[in-house]
PDB file of all heavy atoms in Angstrom:
ATOM      1  N   ILE P   1      -7.959-185.882-176.220  1.00  0.00           N
ATOM      2  CA  ILE P   1      -7.960-186.712-175.013  1.00  0.00           C
ATOM      3  C   ILE P   1      -8.579-185.880-173.895  1.00  0.00           C
ATOM      4  O   ILE P   1      -8.168-184.748-173.657  1.00  0.00           O
ATOM      5  CB  ILE P   1      -6.534-187.144-174.600  1.00  0.00           C
ATOM      6  CG1 ILE P   1      -5.859-187.940-175.721  1.00  0.00           C
ATOM      7  CG2 ILE P   1      -6.576-187.958-173.296  1.00  0.00           C
ATOM      8  CD1 ILE P   1      -4.378-188.184-175.481  1.00  0.00           C
ATOM      9  N   LEU P   2      -9.566-186.444-173.244  1.00  0.00           N
ATOM     10  CA  LEU P   2     -10.222-185.766-172.128  1.00  0.00           C
ATOM     11  C   LEU P   2     -10.176-186.665-170.908  1.00  0.00           C
ATOM     12  O   LEU P   2     -10.543-187.838-170.972  1.00  0.00           O
ATOM     13  CB  LEU P   2     -11.689-185.457-172.476  1.00  0.00           C
ATOM     14  CG  LEU P   2     -12.573-184.971-171.326  1.00  0.00           C
ATOM     15  CD1 LEU P   2     -12.042-183.674-170.709  1.00  0.00           C
ATOM     16  CD2 LEU P   2     -14.009-184.809-171.796  1.00  0.00           C
ATOM     17  N   VAL P   3      -9.723-186.087-169.806  1.00  0.00           N
ATOM     18  CA  VAL P   3      -9.762-186.788-168.527  1.00  0.00           C
ATOM     19  C   VAL P   3     -10.672-185.977-167.600  1.00  0.00           C
ATOM     20  O   VAL P   3     -10.302-184.899-167.139  1.00  0.00           O
ATOM     21  CB  VAL P   3      -8.355-186.954-167.898  1.00  0.00           C
ATOM     22  CG1 VAL P   3      -8.466-187.710-166.567  1.00  0.00           C
ATOM     23  CG2 VAL P   3      -7.416-187.671-168.853  1.00  0.00           C
ATOM     24  N   ASN P   4     -11.870-186.492-167.382  1.00  0.00           N
ATOM     25  CA  ASN P   4     -12.821-185.881-166.453  1.00  0.00           C
ATOM     26  C   ASN P   4     -12.465-186.363-165.051  1.00  0.00           C
ATOM     27  O   ASN P   4     -12.869-187.437-164.623  1.00  0.00           O
ATOM     28  CB  ASN P   4     -14.256-186.295-166.798  1.00  0.00           C
ATOM     29  CG  ASN P   4     -14.813-185.549-167.976  1.00  0.00           C
ATOM     30  OD1 ASN P   4     -14.800-184.331-168.006  1.00  0.00           O
ATOM     31  ND2 ASN P   4     -15.303-186.291-168.956  1.00  0.00           N
ATOM     32  N   ASN P   5     -11.676-185.543-164.358  1.00  0.00           N
ATOM     33  CA  ASN P   5     -11.167-185.928-163.054  1.00  0.00           C
ATOM     34  C   ASN P   5     -11.650-185.003-161.936  1.00  0.00           C
ATOM     35  O   ASN P   5     -11.558-185.372-160.774  1.00  0.00           O
ATOM     36  CB  ASN P   5      -9.626-185.934-163.092  1.00  0.00           C
ATOM     37  CG  ASN P   5      -9.031-186.122-161.727  1.00  0.00           C
ATOM     38  OD1 ASN P   5      -9.113-187.189-161.142  1.00  0.00           O
ATOM     39  ND2 ASN P   5      -8.450-185.062-161.186  1.00  0.00           N
ATOM     40  N   ALA P   6     -12.175-183.844-162.253  1.00  0.00           N
ATOM     41  CA  ALA P   6     -12.594-182.900-161.216  1.00  0.00           C
ATOM     42  C   ALA P   6     -13.565-183.585-160.261  1.00  0.00           C
ATOM     43  O   ALA P   6     -14.430-184.351-160.680  1.00  0.00           O
ATOM     44  CB  ALA P   6     -13.252-181.673-161.837  1.00  0.00           C
ATOM     45  N   GLY P   7     -13.401-183.311-158.990  1.00  0.00           N
ATOM     46  CA  GLY P   7     -14.286-183.917-158.012  1.00  0.00           C
ATOM     47  C   GLY P   7     -14.210-183.209-156.681  1.00  0.00           C
ATOM     48  O   GLY P   7     -13.276-182.458-156.407  1.00  0.00           O
ATOM     49  N   ALA P   8     -15.218-183.456-155.890  1.00  0.00           N
ATOM     50  CA  ALA P   8     -15.272-182.913-154.535  1.00  0.00           C
ATOM     51  C   ALA P   8     -16.008-183.910-153.665  1.00  0.00           C
ATOM     52  O   ALA P   8     -16.860-184.654-154.156  1.00  0.00           O
ATOM     53  CB  ALA P   8     -16.000-181.571-154.526  1.00  0.00           C
ATOM     54  N   ALA P   9     -15.657-183.929-152.404  1.00  0.00           N
ATOM     55  CA  ALA P   9     -16.328-184.828-151.469  1.00  0.00           C
ATOM     56  C   ALA P   9     -16.977-184.008-150.371  1.00  0.00           C
ATOM     57  O   ALA P   9     -16.427-183.005-149.924  1.00  0.00           O
ATOM     58  CB  ALA P   9     -15.326-185.814-150.882  1.00  0.00           C
ATOM     59  N   GLY P  10     -18.134-184.414-149.991  1.00  0.00           N
ATOM     60  CA  GLY P  10     -18.836-183.772-148.888  1.00  0.00           C
ATOM     61  C   GLY P  10     -19.663-184.833-148.185  1.00  0.00           C
ATOM     62  O   GLY P  10     -20.127-185.782-148.824  1.00  0.00           O
ATOM     63  N   SER P  11     -19.832-184.687-146.902  1.00  0.00           N
ATOM     64  CA  SER P  11     -20.561-185.717-146.175  1.00  0.00           C
ATOM     65  C   SER P  11     -21.570-185.111-145.209  1.00  0.00           C
ATOM     66  O   SER P  11     -21.402-183.989-144.724  1.00  0.00           O
ATOM     67  CB  SER P  11     -19.575-186.607-145.411  1.00  0.00           C
ATOM     68  OG  SER P  11     -18.877-185.853-144.447  1.00  0.00           O
ATOM     69  N   HIS P  12     -22.603-185.890-144.980  1.00  0.00           N
ATOM     70  CA  HIS P  12     -23.646-185.492-144.033  1.00  0.00           C
ATOM     71  C   HIS P  12     -24.541-186.695-143.811  1.00  0.00           C
ATOM     72  O   HIS P  12     -24.705-187.520-144.714  1.00  0.00           O
ATOM     73  CB  HIS P  12     -24.472-184.331-144.593  1.00  0.00           C
ATOM     74  CG  HIS P  12     -25.229-183.589-143.548  1.00  0.00           C
ATOM     75  ND1 HIS P  12     -26.394-184.053-142.994  1.00  0.00           N
ATOM     76  CD2 HIS P  12     -24.971-182.417-142.943  1.00  0.00           C
ATOM     77  CE1 HIS P  12     -26.831-183.181-142.096  1.00  0.00           C
ATOM     78  NE2 HIS P  12     -25.973-182.185-142.044  1.00  0.00           N
ATOM     79  N   LYS P  13     -25.138-186.803-142.641  1.00  0.00           N
ATOM     80  CA  LYS P  13     -26.140-187.838-142.418  1.00  0.00           C
ATOM     81  C   LYS P  13     -27.257-187.652-143.445  1.00  0.00           C
ATOM     82  O   LYS P  13     -27.580-186.520-143.825  1.00  0.00           O
ATOM     83  CB  LYS P  13     -26.733-187.723-141.013  1.00  0.00           C
ATOM     84  CG  LYS P  13     -25.786-188.103-139.924  1.00  0.00           C
ATOM     85  CD  LYS P  13     -26.479-187.987-138.576  1.00  0.00           C
ATOM     86  CE  LYS P  13     -25.529-188.349-137.468  1.00  0.00           C
ATOM     87  NZ  LYS P  13     -26.178-188.239-136.158  1.00  0.00           N
ATOM     88  N   PHE P  14     -27.843-188.749-143.887  1.00  0.00           N
ATOM     89  CA  PHE P  14     -28.893-188.635-144.891  1.00  0.00           C
ATOM     90  C   PHE P  14     -30.106-187.889-144.339  1.00  0.00           C
ATOM     91  O   PHE P  14     -30.646-187.010-145.009  1.00  0.00           O
ATOM     92  CB  PHE P  14     -29.304-190.013-145.427  1.00  0.00           C
ATOM     93  CG  PHE P  14     -30.233-189.893-146.597  1.00  0.00           C
ATOM     94  CD1 PHE P  14     -29.745-189.519-147.842  1.00  0.00           C
ATOM     95  CD2 PHE P  14     -31.584-190.117-146.461  1.00  0.00           C
ATOM     96  CE1 PHE P  14     -30.591-189.380-148.928  1.00  0.00           C
ATOM     97  CE2 PHE P  14     -32.446-189.984-147.537  1.00  0.00           C
ATOM     98  CZ  PHE P  14     -31.939-189.619-148.779  1.00  0.00           C
ATOM     99  N   LEU P  15     -30.489-188.211-143.114  1.00  0.00           N
ATOM    100  CA  LEU P  15     -31.592-187.456-142.510  1.00  0.00           C
ATOM    101  C   LEU P  15     -31.098-186.045-142.240  1.00  0.00           C
ATOM    102  O   LEU P  15     -30.063-185.847-141.603  1.00  0.00           O
ATOM    103  CB  LEU P  15     -32.063-188.111-141.217  1.00  0.00           C
ATOM    104  CG  LEU P  15     -32.815-189.428-141.403  1.00  0.00           C
ATOM    105  CD1 LEU P  15     -33.143-190.052-140.052  1.00  0.00           C
ATOM    106  CD2 LEU P  15     -34.089-189.208-142.200  1.00  0.00           C
ATOM    107  N   GLY P  16     -31.784-185.080-142.759  1.00  0.00           N
ATOM    108  CA  GLY P  16     -31.368-183.694-142.598  1.00  0.00           C
ATOM    109  C   GLY P  16     -30.299-183.265-143.594  1.00  0.00           C
ATOM    110  O   GLY P  16     -29.708-182.193-143.462  1.00  0.00           O
ATOM    111  N   HIS P  17     -30.041-184.108-144.585  1.00  0.00           N
ATOM    112  CA  HIS P  17     -29.008-183.803-145.606  1.00  0.00           C
ATOM    113  C   HIS P  17     -29.369-182.489-146.309  1.00  0.00           C
ATOM    114  O   HIS P  17     -30.459-182.343-146.840  1.00  0.00           O
ATOM    115  CB  HIS P  17     -28.952-184.942-146.629  1.00  0.00           C
ATOM    116  CG  HIS P  17     -27.739-184.935-147.484  1.00  0.00           C
ATOM    117  ND1 HIS P  17     -27.533-184.036-148.492  1.00  0.00           N
ATOM    118  CD2 HIS P  17     -26.658-185.748-147.483  1.00  0.00           C
ATOM    119  CE1 HIS P  17     -26.381-184.288-149.079  1.00  0.00           C
ATOM    120  NE2 HIS P  17     -25.828-185.326-148.491  1.00  0.00           N
ATOM    121  N   PRO P  18     -28.475-181.522-146.323  1.00  0.00           N
ATOM    122  CA  PRO P  18     -28.786-180.241-146.973  1.00  0.00           C
ATOM    123  C   PRO P  18     -28.906-180.397-148.494  1.00  0.00           C
ATOM    124  O   PRO P  18     -28.047-181.019-149.131  1.00  0.00           O
ATOM    125  CB  PRO P  18     -27.582-179.360-146.639  1.00  0.00           C
ATOM    126  CG  PRO P  18     -26.823-180.076-145.570  1.00  0.00           C
ATOM    127  CD  PRO P  18     -27.170-181.516-145.685  1.00  0.00           C
ATOM    128  N   ASP P  19     -29.955-179.846-149.056  1.00  0.00           N
ATOM    129  CA  ASP P  19     -30.137-179.902-150.510  1.00  0.00           C
ATOM    130  C   ASP P  19     -28.969-179.250-151.239  1.00  0.00           C
ATOM    131  O   ASP P  19     -28.565-179.713-152.306  1.00  0.00           O
ATOM    132  CB  ASP P  19     -31.443-179.213-150.919  1.00  0.00           C
ATOM    133  CG  ASP P  19     -32.675-179.997-150.484  1.00  0.00           C
ATOM    134  OD1 ASP P  19     -32.547-181.187-150.096  1.00  0.00           O
ATOM    135  OD2 ASP P  19     -33.781-179.411-150.533  1.00  0.00           O
ATOM    136  N   ALA P  20     -28.429-178.189-150.669  1.00  0.00           N
ATOM    137  CA  ALA P  20     -27.303-177.500-151.319  1.00  0.00           C
ATOM    138  C   ALA P  20     -26.091-178.419-151.447  1.00  0.00           C
ATOM    139  O   ALA P  20     -25.389-178.395-152.465  1.00  0.00           O
ATOM    140  CB  ALA P  20     -26.925-176.237-150.547  1.00  0.00           C
ATOM    141  N   LEU P  21     -25.836-179.260-150.448  1.00  0.00           N
ATOM    142  CA  LEU P  21     -24.726-180.201-150.515  1.00  0.00           C
ATOM    143  C   LEU P  21     -25.006-181.254-151.589  1.00  0.00           C
ATOM    144  O   LEU P  21     -24.120-181.599-152.371  1.00  0.00           O
ATOM    145  CB  LEU P  21     -24.488-180.865-149.159  1.00  0.00           C
ATOM    146  CG  LEU P  21     -23.396-181.939-149.118  1.00  0.00           C
ATOM    147  CD1 LEU P  21     -22.036-181.360-149.541  1.00  0.00           C
ATOM    148  CD2 LEU P  21     -23.315-182.555-147.728  1.00  0.00           C
ATOM    149  N   TRP P  22     -26.227-181.756-151.631  1.00  0.00           N
ATOM    150  CA  TRP P  22     -26.614-182.722-152.668  1.00  0.00           C
ATOM    151  C   TRP P  22     -26.374-182.120-154.059  1.00  0.00           C
ATOM    152  O   TRP P  22     -25.738-182.740-154.914  1.00  0.00           O
ATOM    153  CB  TRP P  22     -28.078-183.123-152.493  1.00  0.00           C
ATOM    154  CG  TRP P  22     -28.561-184.077-153.538  1.00  0.00           C
ATOM    155  CD1 TRP P  22     -29.112-183.763-154.754  1.00  0.00           C
ATOM    156  CD2 TRP P  22     -28.498-185.500-153.494  1.00  0.00           C
ATOM    157  NE1 TRP P  22     -29.405-184.907-155.456  1.00  0.00           N
ATOM    158  CE2 TRP P  22     -29.035-185.987-154.696  1.00  0.00           C
ATOM    159  CE3 TRP P  22     -28.032-186.410-152.548  1.00  0.00           C
ATOM    160  CZ2 TRP P  22     -29.134-187.353-154.987  1.00  0.00           C
ATOM    161  CZ3 TRP P  22     -28.137-187.769-152.832  1.00  0.00           C
ATOM    162  CH2 TRP P  22     -28.674-188.224-154.036  1.00  0.00           C
ATOM    163  N   ASP P  23     -26.870-180.913-154.249  1.00  0.00           N
ATOM    164  CA  ASP P  23     -26.729-180.250-155.550  1.00  0.00           C
ATOM    165  C   ASP P  23     -25.261-180.041-155.913  1.00  0.00           C
ATOM    166  O   ASP P  23     -24.859-180.249-157.065  1.00  0.00           O
ATOM    167  CB  ASP P  23     -27.457-178.905-155.555  1.00  0.00           C
ATOM    168  CG  ASP P  23     -28.971-179.052-155.453  1.00  0.00           C
ATOM    169  OD1 ASP P  23     -29.494-180.155-155.713  1.00  0.00           O
ATOM    170  OD2 ASP P  23     -29.626-178.057-155.091  1.00  0.00           O
ATOM    171  N   ARG P  24     -24.456-179.639-154.947  1.00  0.00           N
ATOM    172  CA  ARG P  24     -23.030-179.380-155.204  1.00  0.00           C
ATOM    173  C   ARG P  24     -22.297-180.672-155.570  1.00  0.00           C
ATOM    174  O   ARG P  24     -21.486-180.689-156.491  1.00  0.00           O
ATOM    175  CB  ARG P  24     -22.386-178.732-153.968  1.00  0.00           C
ATOM    176  CG  ARG P  24     -20.928-178.408-154.146  1.00  0.00           C
ATOM    177  CD  ARG P  24     -20.747-177.164-154.969  1.00  0.00           C
ATOM    178  NE  ARG P  24     -19.327-176.918-155.173  1.00  0.00           N
ATOM    179  CZ  ARG P  24     -18.809-176.392-156.258  1.00  0.00           C
ATOM    180  NH1 ARG P  24     -19.600-175.989-157.226  1.00  0.00           N
ATOM    181  NH2 ARG P  24     -17.527-176.204-156.372  1.00  0.00           N
ATOM    182  N   MET P  25     -22.575-181.752-154.853  1.00  0.00           N
ATOM    183  CA  MET P  25     -21.902-183.023-155.133  1.00  0.00           C
ATOM    184  C   MET P  25     -22.242-183.529-156.537  1.00  0.00           C
ATOM    185  O   MET P  25     -21.372-183.999-157.259  1.00  0.00           O
ATOM    186  CB  MET P  25     -22.273-184.095-154.091  1.00  0.00           C
ATOM    187  CG  MET P  25     -21.696-183.855-152.711  1.00  0.00           C
ATOM    188  SD  MET P  25     -19.889-183.798-152.665  1.00  0.00           S
ATOM    189  CE  MET P  25     -19.580-182.046-152.784  1.00  0.00           C
ATOM    190  N   LEU P  26     -23.507-183.398-156.932  1.00  0.00           N
ATOM    191  CA  LEU P  26     -23.880-183.828-158.278  1.00  0.00           C
ATOM    192  C   LEU P  26     -23.293-182.900-159.342  1.00  0.00           C
ATOM    193  O   LEU P  26     -22.844-183.366-160.392  1.00  0.00           O
ATOM    194  CB  LEU P  26     -25.399-183.943-158.409  1.00  0.00           C
ATOM    195  CG  LEU P  26     -25.831-185.326-157.919  1.00  0.00           C
ATOM    196  CD1 LEU P  26     -26.614-185.243-156.650  1.00  0.00           C
ATOM    197  CD2 LEU P  26     -26.559-186.060-158.991  1.00  0.00           C
ATOM    198  N   ALA P  27     -23.261-181.611-159.069  1.00  0.00           N
ATOM    199  CA  ALA P  27     -22.722-180.655-160.044  1.00  0.00           C
ATOM    200  C   ALA P  27     -21.236-180.887-160.298  1.00  0.00           C
ATOM    201  O   ALA P  27     -20.791-180.956-161.447  1.00  0.00           O
ATOM    202  CB  ALA P  27     -22.957-179.221-159.567  1.00  0.00           C
ATOM    203  N   VAL P  28     -20.456-181.013-159.234  1.00  0.00           N
ATOM    204  CA  VAL P  28     -19.005-181.161-159.383  1.00  0.00           C
ATOM    205  C   VAL P  28     -18.640-182.548-159.898  1.00  0.00           C
ATOM    206  O   VAL P  28     -17.798-182.682-160.787  1.00  0.00           O
ATOM    207  CB  VAL P  28     -18.281-180.894-158.042  1.00  0.00           C
ATOM    208  CG1 VAL P  28     -16.800-181.224-158.152  1.00  0.00           C
ATOM    209  CG2 VAL P  28     -18.480-179.457-157.602  1.00  0.00           C
ATOM    210  N   ASN P  29     -19.262-183.572-159.352  1.00  0.00           N
ATOM    211  CA  ASN P  29     -18.843-184.935-159.630  1.00  0.00           C
ATOM    212  C   ASN P  29     -19.520-185.592-160.824  1.00  0.00           C
ATOM    213  O   ASN P  29     -18.981-186.564-161.356  1.00  0.00           O
ATOM    214  CB  ASN P  29     -19.058-185.811-158.389  1.00  0.00           C
ATOM    215  CG  ASN P  29     -18.161-185.391-157.256  1.00  0.00           C
ATOM    216  OD1 ASN P  29     -16.958-185.380-157.377  1.00  0.00           O
ATOM    217  ND2 ASN P  29     -18.764-185.010-156.139  1.00  0.00           N
TER     218      ASN P  29
END
């Protein structure tokens, strides 16, 4: 049984959105 529950939330306006935040959100979530 596997429950993929790990997650993180981060926010930023889309204009000027930091690539590092984008990468982190996709990696964790």
Side-chain angles (χ1 to χ4, degrees):
I1 301 170
L2 170 60
V3 181
N4 283 307
N5 171 70
S11 63
H12 199 282
K13 290 181 181 180
F14 188 75
L15 289 176
H17 195 287
D19 290 346
L21 177 59
W22 178 271
D23 293 342
R24 181 77 183 146
M25 290 300 95
L26 275 112
V28 173
N29 294 302

